């Protein structure tokens, strides 16, 4: 089974301007982000730390899509200080790259999504290090915070049930409660979720960057407030698009019955 999560369903990098699609396969919890070439079945404990995160800028019809491949098999893709540092550095670089439109996060380890924080490393941390480390995770992956975000996503009763029991959900169960968007049959290459994520990313590419950015902002902030305030946030976000060249291009393209050519301006 493979799972492709729509943007924000499993967590979103704090890249602001870009969209993120997380592609995962197998079970949620110890699940897997699909990624990279066809996965190898033999794992090595000698993977160099600089190879734990692989950044690929796709080309041709996929130009504008960046793939972040997690490759930490010996740690079940758990978030170590080194991996977190690499993710933070990669995200900071992508934030300032106007050519980047969508980020796909995938695992390059078969059968593994992400085991969460590296608890072996955490056990060696001084208590004074733990708080800053968790804060750093929040800064890079801004959708963590299960006691607050899970009730908002699936309701308080079910969130309490899952948190109190520490239950692991499979893909079908996660989709049923609204945690993910797609569940797929795995293919022979083991990258069905990545292929679905790539299809989603291609759908995002033609859309206006400015409109996508403010739509993301309106959704994220609007979900934290009442409806009246949310509508005010939406109006403020729309106002940011009025003076843009992209808005005029969209109107002109509609009039001329052609696809718009947005530039993010």
């Amino acid at each position: 089974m493979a799972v492709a999560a729509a943007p924000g369903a499993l967590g979103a990098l704090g890249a602001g301007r870009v969209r993120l699609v997380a592609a995962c396969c197998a079970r949620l919890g110890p699940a897997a982000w699909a990624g990279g070439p066809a996965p190898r079945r033999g794992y090595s404990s000698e993977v160099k730390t600089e190879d734990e995160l692989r950044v690929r800028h796709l080309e041709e019809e996929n130009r504008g899509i960046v793939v972040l491949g997690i490759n930490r098999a010996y740690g079940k893709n758990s978030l170590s200080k080194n991996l977190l540092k690499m993710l933070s550095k990669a995200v900071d670089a992508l934030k300032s790259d106007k050519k980047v439109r969508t980020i796909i996060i995938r695992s390059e380890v078969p059968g593994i999504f992400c085991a969460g924080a590296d608890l072996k490393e955490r056990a060696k941390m001084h208590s004074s290090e733990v708080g800053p480390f968790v804060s750093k995770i929040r800064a890079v992956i801004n959708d963590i915070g299960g006691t607050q975000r899970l009730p908002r996503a699936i309701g308080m009763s079910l969130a309490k049930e899952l948190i109190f029991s520490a239950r692991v959900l499979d893909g079908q169960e996660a989709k049923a409660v609204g945690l993910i968007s797609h569940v797929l049959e795995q293919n022979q290459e083991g990258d069905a979720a990545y292929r679905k994520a790539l299809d989603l990313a291609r759908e995002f590419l033609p859309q206006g960057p400015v409109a996508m950015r403010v739509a993301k902002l309106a959704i994220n902030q609007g979900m934290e407030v009442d409806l009246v305030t949310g509508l005010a946030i939406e109006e403020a976000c729309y106002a940011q698009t009025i003076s843009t060249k992209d808005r005029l291009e969209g109107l002109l393209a509609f009039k001329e019955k052609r696809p718009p050519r947005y530039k993010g301006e």
Side-chain angles (χ1 to χ4, degrees):
M1 178 184 295
V3 177
L10 291 182
L13 292 180
R17 176 176 47 80
V18 298
R19 276 82 66 202
L20 177 144
V21 180
C24 61
C25 58
R27 295 177 64 85
L28 288 178
W33 294 354
R40 301 184 302 274
R41 295 297 170 184
Y43 300 153
S44 170
S45 60
E46 302 300 324
V47 175
K48 296 179 180 179
T49 55
E50 59 265 28
D51 292 331
E52 290 182 353
L53 182 69
R54 297 171 179 171
V55 181
R56 291 192 300 127
H57 292 250
L58 304 190
E59 299 294 337
E60 298 178 352
E61 73 274 12
N62 297 322
R63 188 180 300 275
I65 300 174
V66 176
V67 180
L68 301 182
I70 310 295
N71 182 44
R72 197 168 184 261
Y74 55 91
K76 295 186 177 180
N77 280 351
S78 57
L79 295 171
S80 64
K81 287 192 282 188
N82 178 69
L83 180 56
L84 192 59
K85 180 180 179 181
M86 295 180 71
L87 277 168
S88 180
K89 183 178 180 180
V91 170
D92 285 343
L94 294 173
K95 282 181 181 179
S96 59
D97 189 343
K98 294 184 178 181
K99 296 180 180 179
V100 177
R101 301 289 297 279
T102 303
I103 299 171
I104 296 177
I105 294 185
R106 64 181 297 183
S107 172
E108 298 193 355
V109 180
I112 299 296
F113 172 39
C114 175
D118 187 333
L119 297 184
K120 291 182 179 180
E121 183 180 76
R122 177 80 66 87
K124 299 176 182 179
M125 288 183 187
H126 188 274
S127 58
S128 62
E129 296 180 89
V130 176
F133 178 72
V134 174
S135 296
K136 185 66 173 178
I137 294 178
R138 290 181 184 275
V140 178
I141 306 174
N142 58 24
D143 272 4
I144 67 170
T147 62
Q148 300 305 305
R149 298 186 183 278
L150 193 61
R152 287 171 167 80
I154 64 176
M156 184 182 297
S157 296
L158 184 53
K160 285 182 177 179
E161 181 180 327
L162 295 181
I163 291 172
F164 295 167
S165 65
R167 186 182 307 154
V168 175
L169 303 182
D170 64 23
Q172 293 288 359
E173 291 170 329
K175 186 175 188 299
V177 299
L179 287 176
I180 58 175
S181 302
H182 303 280
V183 179
L184 314 166
E185 289 295 327
Q186 189 57 279
N187 57 23
Q188 291 184 348
E189 292 76 17
D191 66 351
Y194 171 65
R195 295 299 168 186
K196 179 62 178 180
L198 190 58
D199 287 342
L200 290 171
R202 287 176 180 142
E203 288 188 63
F204 302 157
L205 281 179
Q207 313 309 323
V210 176
M212 294 292 283
R213 181 177 68 246
V214 296
K216 178 180 177 181
L217 179 65
I219 293 169
N220 289 347
Q221 293 191 353
M223 287 298 293
E224 307 298 327
V225 298
D226 61 88
L227 180 59
V228 173
T229 305
L231 290 171
I233 291 173
E234 179 185 75
E235 184 175 354
C237 287
Y238 174 70
Q240 296 180 40
T241 70
I242 294 177
S243 61
T244 64
K245 295 179 181 179
D246 276 0
R247 188 183 76 89
L248 298 178
E249 164 61 16
L251 294 173
L252 184 61
F254 178 79
K255 179 180 178 180
E256 297 177 352
K257 298 181 180 181
R258 60 170 175 79
R261 295 182 289 270
Y262 296 121
K263 297 181 179 180
E265 300 175 352

